[in-house]
Amino acid sequence: MGAGDAIGAGTLREFHARSIADREGFWREQAALIDWHAPFERVLDYSKPPFTRWFVGGRTNLCHNAVDRHLAARRDQPALIFVSTETDTERVFTFGELHREVVRMAAIMRELGVRRGDRVLIYMPMIPEAAFAMLACARIGAIHSVVFGGFASHSLASRIDDASPVLVVSADAGSRAGKVVPYKPLLDAAIDMAGNKPANVLMVDRGLAPFERVAGRDRDYAALRERHLDAEVPVEWLESNEVSYTLYTSGTTGVPKGVQRDVGGHAVALAASMKYIFCGNPGETYFSTSDIGWVVGHSYIVYGPLIAGMATIMYEGTPLRPDAGILWQLVEKYRVTVMFSAPTAIRVLKKQDPSWLSRHDLSSLRTLFLAGEPLDEPTARWIGEALGKPIVDNYWQTETGWPILTVAHGVEKTPTRLGSPGMPMYGYDLRLLHEQTGEEVGVNEKGVVAIVPPLPPGCMQTVWGDDERFVKTYFSTIPGKLVYSTFDWGIRDEDGYYFILGRTDDVINVAGHRLGTREIEESLSSHQAVAECAVVGVADSLKGQVAMAFVVLKDPARVAAPEARMALEGELMATVDKQLGAVARPSRVHFVTLLPKTRSGKVLRRSIQAICEARDPGDLTTIEDPGALEQLRRAVGLEA
Ligand code: ATP
Ligand code: MG
């Protein structure tokens, strides 16, 4: 029996319709999925559009809902499963043990002067202490701001300045693909640069990289923990609309925005998504391959699974070490039922021997969810067939905190459709709007994906410290309408399935024709030789812009000979001609073995475009492999 039977939801369409027509009634019911210390007085306060307050007056706590409330029923069941293939460590924390560690961390924070509403910046690798720190903040009502461990000093300094934390929690080092990556020198340099200096830095010493301590500022976690082994730190009951955390967007399209989230709405939204979308049950294991530095890590490594009473795997490592079967080995070992990854990880696996996918017992796994970037059809089909499991794409943003488009098998077993993330989720009044007129577009017509406010629970409250930027950035782009713009293009078919066609600023203009680079990428990807590709618009004196393609082949040796290279380039252009028309044909197809991506797997199209136009590629601190840029420069004839 699915949850759908239990709630008598009928179809997803009805479920969704009710969530919009009777917002308060709908979310009042969902609010029962979490514990409240004091009930809310109002479900929704929308008296100051577009600012939205959910569950006004209610008192609750994220740490209580993720940890404490499970102690009675599952104290000795796994809660946090830490696996590092970098340091060969595996450690399982039960809910009881997790509770202990979180309370100890909370006691340390208290001792270091952290109070309710203070900011704590967390700059850490994927180690359990990072999760303890997040949950400890939630427990005492401090606001955490996790900065992805891959960021270098400059990006870190700007985030320190924006958050003005009283405490930074960090570690000596992370490790990536077997190489130690020291964090402390970067942190020291960032604090030197920052105007707002934290009073204390709490250092977790993994013994990976020796570091210097700044007297009076740097504190040792292990030593402080010893002092608080038996500490008691009760949870702070927070008003639903107090701030739980801030997190910066990936910055793919420019300056990152500090997304601010609440407490109650966030907890309810995650609990509901675990039930209706991810269909995870208490006592089972959830495995998300993301990082705590990204929104997926916040929602679906830490809070979501724990709120649902599931064990969650925290994985420090890559999909390829010690071998290309490691993710599936973990699924087998920990009987993972729900898995969440990104298309980029799957494309990495696609380049390996497919037999790695059949060497492990995957009978526990029900569904693989993928999100973060477009899931192309060939990749979806490949992984679906290789695993013999349903693949569910889901589309959302740092800003929303949980899926906007997907299928909700806890409501109805709607079939998935290749290339489509699915349908609007309950709570999102989604529209496709004409960019200039703001009118709704028709079936199979392209429009900007927009949400009519109020935004549902769990979505961002505002931009940290800048309400004006929140309104201006997100609610002022569609003429004459107060609607939230996702900055993505979409289209809806006759049956209500949506397709994401790329970002609104990834549109190129070739001789007056507006083309989404994503559509051209889809077309190129449909050629069987292509593993992945990126298309950007490059300034052209004649046509305004032309499309330029960078293609990674499944077998790079295929274009070793110049004739073969030219022949394949021609074939790929013909593919685009046939599917989209000659106007969309890339002016050139360059073959590379690697695309510049962020470590979260997003292609840095802006940087590619800059290089093609011989401009400065911008902030590249999260780039996965700088070698990709060298290749690009060589490909377009601009030696570094
Ligand atoms: P910034 O907003 O700073 O430019 P970003 O948009 O890359 O960075 P995120 O919030 O991490 O930051 O990414 C959300 C975006 O990722 C979406 O707006 C969309 O463009 C893309 N995206 C996420 N999931 C999907 C998906 N399933 N299919 C297609 N695109 C997706
Ligand atoms: Mg964005």
Side-chain angles (χ1 to χ4, degrees), residues 374-623:
L375 174 61
D376 57 284
E377 290 193 27
T379 300
R381 193 173 293 117
W382 177 81
I383 187 70
E385 280 166 12
L387 291 177
K389 306 281 176 181
I391 307 301
V392 175
D393 187 4
N394 56 128
Y395 160 82
W396 47 296
Q397 308 183 302
T398 307
E399 291 86 343
T400 67
W402 61 283
I404 302 171
L405 290 172
T406 186
V407 290
H409 283 170
V411 179
E412 183 194 11
K413 287 262 183 304
T414 340
T416 54
R417 197 162 283 186
L418 280 177
S420 163
M423 304 184 189
M425 284 299 102
Y426 49 91
Y428 291 101
D429 188 359
L430 214 66
R431 309 287 171 93
L432 291 173
L433 303 179
H434 190 280
E435 189 187 17
Q436 263 111 40
T437 66
E439 296 301 318
E440 277 192 62
V441 301
V443 165
N444 289 322
E445 279 173 30
K446 186 166 152 180
V448 178
V449 181
I451 307 167
V452 178
L455 299 178
C459 291
M460 76 190 292
Q461 295 178 290
T462 185
V463 171
W464 170 255
D466 200 343
D467 286 350
E468 201 185 310
R469 185 168 177 212
F470 175 63
V471 179
K472 227 174 129 188
T473 305
Y474 296 103
F475 290 90
S476 315
T477 56
I478 307 287
K481 285 201 171 147
L482 188 74
V483 292
Y484 172 92
S485 173
T486 60
F487 299 102
D488 288 310
W489 290 109
I491 199 164
R492 182 178 50 227
D493 70 12
E494 304 73 23
D495 304 317
Y497 284 86
Y498 281 65
F499 295 78
I500 297 295
L501 304 175
R503 297 167 185 253
T504 51
D505 54 2
D506 275 343
V507 167
I508 59 174
N509 198 323
V510 182
H513 300 273
R514 287 167 63 69
L515 303 165
T517 51
R518 162 108 175 87
E519 294 163 81
I520 306 173
E521 288 171 6
E522 281 275 332
S523 174
L524 291 168
S525 295
S526 70
H527 191 286
Q528 46 80 26
V530 174
E532 58 179 336
C533 65
V535 172
V536 296
V538 178
D540 182 271
S541 53
L542 208 60
K543 298 180 177 171
Q545 272 185 315
V546 291
M548 199 172 278
F550 295 86
V551 167
V552 178
L553 296 175
K554 285 177 189 153
D555 174 17
R558 209 182 142 148
V559 290
E563 312 79 60
R565 175 178 288 253
M566 275 166 62
L568 187 57
E569 183 172 5
E571 245 181 71
L572 288 169
M573 287 182 175
T575 307
V576 176
D577 280 3
K578 205 163 104 214
Q579 294 178 1
L580 301 174
V583 60
R585 180 199 306 161
S587 64
R588 280 301 310 271
V589 177
H590 296 289
F591 297 101
V592 290
T593 59
L594 178 79
L595 294 171
K597 287 184 188 172
T598 63
R599 297 218 195 144
S600 59
K602 289 176 190 291
V603 174
L604 288 158
R605 290 189 182 72
R606 229 126 287 283
S607 307
I608 301 181
Q609 189 182 38
I611 286 177
C612 293
E613 295 180 348
R615 287 183 289 111
D616 172 20
D619 181 2
L620 292 167
T621 44
T622 60
I623 192 164

